[in-house]
Amino acid sequence: MNILILGSGGREHTFCWKLAQSTQQPKLFIAPGNAGTAQLGTNLPIDPTDFDTLAQAATSHAIDLVVVGPEVPLVAGVHDFFATHPKLSHIPVIGPKKEAAQLEGSKAYAKAFMERHNIPTAPYKQFTANSLNEGLAYLETTPAPYVLKADGLAAGKGVLIIHDLDEAKTALSDMLANKKFGAASEQVVIEGFLDGIELSCFVLTDGESHVTLPFAKDYKRIGEGDTGLNTGGMGAVSPVPFNDAAFKQKIHDRIVLPTMEGLKKDQLDFVGFVFIGLIRVGDDPFVIEYNVRMGDPETQVVLPRIQNDFGELLQATAEQRLHETELRISPEAAATVVAVSGGYPEAYEKGKAITGLAGDGLIFQAGTAEVDGQVVTNGGRVLAATGFGADVQEALTSAYSKLSTISFEEMYFRKDLGFDL
Ligand code: AMP
Ligand code: GLY
């Protein structure tokens, strides 16, 4: 079996690592991949939104299955492209079609989906440049803090949480009238602030059945104590200690099942991963957002805890046989710590030599490249070290110890992960 994986992050390296253990011994192709994926398969220098070049590669490498890592190609319709292409329509794609990808690609679409299917989420209203004055008036009628969300994809930067009314009004005008986030903020969702602790739920569905994967919690802010700018994710743990059996049941009954049924009722034909961003308010779960893919760096703790053959799991998904699958989850906890280039998530330098990669730790590479036989930094989030233990604290200790052998100039990582658990 030849598998094409789209993406270049730690998530995609983890997919490759897990697939490399499959009894199906798949041949892996990664577009574009990184220095880590290059050790487990063949990197193809193709942008995952360059569909025509992907089509040529899928044909020349006799690809049997496509697994999409990031959201951008999904929202751009990569699945629809394959499904309607005369030479590619036989190749299953793990990842939703363009319409269903709107669950991540448009906050307003996701809110309407939740409203339609009675899925608990913060109350909201949506505005465009034409209704800016109504939006400003609406802000005056709602209590602080104000949650303003650019409707479209904004690489994790499109959500603003503002405490001061005048600042919120200025931000709303910037987004709608001055297109602060470009086309992504032509529409803005204003929603109620939910005060609680976040966790993430991952579901793999074949369009009919689904399996719920291990829960995880990620750390998004650059600074210790969850301070400073938002990032793609500085680390993650799984399981989530405060997610007890009673709370899990509520998530299942109130959120996972209605989401799966909603996808069917709306005939969205969703095949792939649903990532449900949740917040626990008191004793109740609410949905903060949907993503239509696995999380990064959550994948680096979720996949290592799954004991099933990942090749078989993906094939069962593609063939709508997930109902036959029983997920086996390791009782061990996993934690991952992300090392980033100094300066990230703002400007940073690339090309720094990385040493210590040869150890026996589970190191998932992200922003790396190989230049003249040397692995160098090539992005903001450079790599993640995953460790295991009897509980999350032990797993974190192990992950930190694995990371301690690695170094590159201006390497930074948070030393306080798990502080809130
Ligand atoms: P999102 O891109 O929708 O996940 O939002 C990014 C981050 O903003 C989330 O991970 C939360 O930390 C925060 N956030 C989003 N919506 C809300 C809300 N309604 N109440 C409180 N925090 C929120
Ligand atoms: N770690 C959050 C995300 O993948 O969007």
Side-chain angles (χ1 to χ4, degrees):
M1 175 147 88
N2 295 344
I3 303 182
L4 173 62
I5 296 163
L6 304 189
S8 62
R11 167 182 50 212
E12 289 75 19
H13 188 187
T14 313
F15 283 168
C16 291
W17 167 81
K18 192 75 179 156
L19 284 169
Q21 298 160 50
S22 170
T23 56
Q24 302 179 334
Q25 298 185 293
K27 254 175 112 174
L28 306 177
F29 296 87
I30 310 94
N34 58 42
T37 64
Q39 299 192 331
L40 300 167
T42 306
N43 283 353
L44 306 172
I46 306 172
D47 180 324
T49 57
D50 178 357
F51 296 166
D52 289 324
T53 311
L54 285 180
Q56 286 166 21
T59 307
S60 63
H61 296 294
I63 294 301
D64 301 299
L65 177 72
V66 178
V67 184
V68 187
E71 63 279 14
V72 173
L74 292 167
V75 172
V78 69
H79 190 157
D80 314 64
F81 176 83
F82 272 72
T84 54
H85 191 289
K87 289 196 191 133
L88 308 175
S89 60
H90 64 285
I91 306 177
V93 178
I94 306 294
K97 291 193 180 151
K98 192 171 183 164
E99 170 73 19
Q102 289 296 300
L103 283 173
E104 177 162 2
S106 162
K107 301 279 187 198
Y109 183 96
K111 294 300 272 191
F113 176 89
M114 289 184 258
E115 194 166 60
R116 192 156 63 242
H117 302 294
N118 288 313
I119 295 165
T121 187
Y124 79 105
K125 288 233 185 295
Q126 66 199 62
F127 301 95
T128 60
N130 287 335
S131 53
L132 173 59
N133 286 333
E134 282 104 304
L136 296 171
Y138 177 70
L139 284 174
E140 285 184 4
T141 66
T142 58
Y146 308 94
V147 182
L148 273 48
K149 299 187 171 184
D151 181 59
L153 291 183
K157 298 190 178 78
V159 175
L160 304 177
I161 298 179
I162 301 173
H163 291 265
D164 178 78
L165 176 62
D166 288 327
E167 274 177 37
K169 286 178 161 180
T170 307
L172 184 66
S173 304
D174 279 347
M175 287 165 95
L176 289 176
N178 306 330
K179 299 208 173 68
K180 177 169 177 179
F181 298 103
S185 68
E186 276 172 10
Q187 184 159 230
V188 171
V189 165
I190 302 181
E191 67 175 42
F193 180 78
L194 298 172
D195 195 4
I197 186 159
E198 290 176 57
L199 72 160
S200 302
C201 174
F202 300 93
V203 180
L204 176 61
T205 176
D206 61 12
E208 277 300 321
S209 314
H210 71 271
V211 289
T212 303
L213 309 182
F215 284 79
K217 180 182 194 311
D218 80 333
Y219 291 85
K220 288 202 178 69
R221 302 295 197 94
I222 188 73
E224 293 181 358
D226 283 345
T227 55
L229 294 174
N230 249 325
T231 71
M234 297 297 291
V237 298
S238 176
V240 181
F242 60 83
N243 188 24
D244 53 48
F247 195 65
K248 265 190 203 162
Q249 192 65 46
K250 287 181 188 169
I251 295 173
H252 175 263
D253 297 347
R254 299 180 193 175
I255 291 167
V256 174
L257 279 189
T259 298
M260 293 300 120
E261 279 161 21
L263 292 174
K264 280 189 228 172
K265 277 185 201 149
D266 294 351
Q267 297 183 309
L268 288 175
D269 200 14
F270 197 114
V271 176
F273 297 97
V274 187
F275 164 166
I276 314 178
L278 299 169
I279 187 161
R280 179 175 181 151
V281 183
D283 249 345
D284 295 311
F286 291 83
V287 177
I288 291 269
E289 66 164 347
Y290 286 112
N291 295 311
V292 296
R293 52 173 174 84
M294 279 302 292
D296 189 340
E298 291 91 332
T299 303
Q300 289 88 311
V301 291
V302 169
L303 282 198
R305 295 191 61 227
I306 296 176
Q307 293 169 331
N308 303 57
D309 183 310
F310 195 48
E312 165 52 27
L313 196 59
L314 294 181
Q315 202 162 13
T317 306
E319 294 171 2
Q320 245 182 31
R321 288 189 289 103
L322 265 188
H323 59 277
E324 295 172 1
T325 302
E326 201 179 325
L327 206 66
R328 296 186 311 280
I329 298 175
S330 162
E332 268 199 319
T336 200
V337 182
V338 176
V340 306
S341 300
Y344 172 84
E346 297 184 284
Y348 57 84
E349 289 177 17
K350 296 183 184 178
K352 311 285 185 196
I354 307 172
T355 58
L357 284 171
D360 58 358
L362 208 47
I363 305 296
F364 295 117
Q365 299 186 30
T368 65
E370 195 176 319
V371 178
D372 299 331
Q374 169 68 52
V375 178
V376 300
T377 64
N378 191 40
R381 291 193 294 170
V382 174
L383 51 81
T386 294
F388 304 95
D391 58 29
V392 159
Q393 292 306 335
E394 262 188 48
L396 278 163
T397 305
S398 161
Y400 279 117
S401 127
K402 292 190 168 135
L403 196 58
S404 70
T405 66
I406 290 183
S407 71
F408 54 87
E409 218 178 285
E410 291 193 56
M411 168 172 158
Y412 168 79
F413 59 91
R414 273 179 64 171
K415 298 181 183 63
D416 69 330
L417 301 187
F419 76 97
D420 53 343
L421 298 174

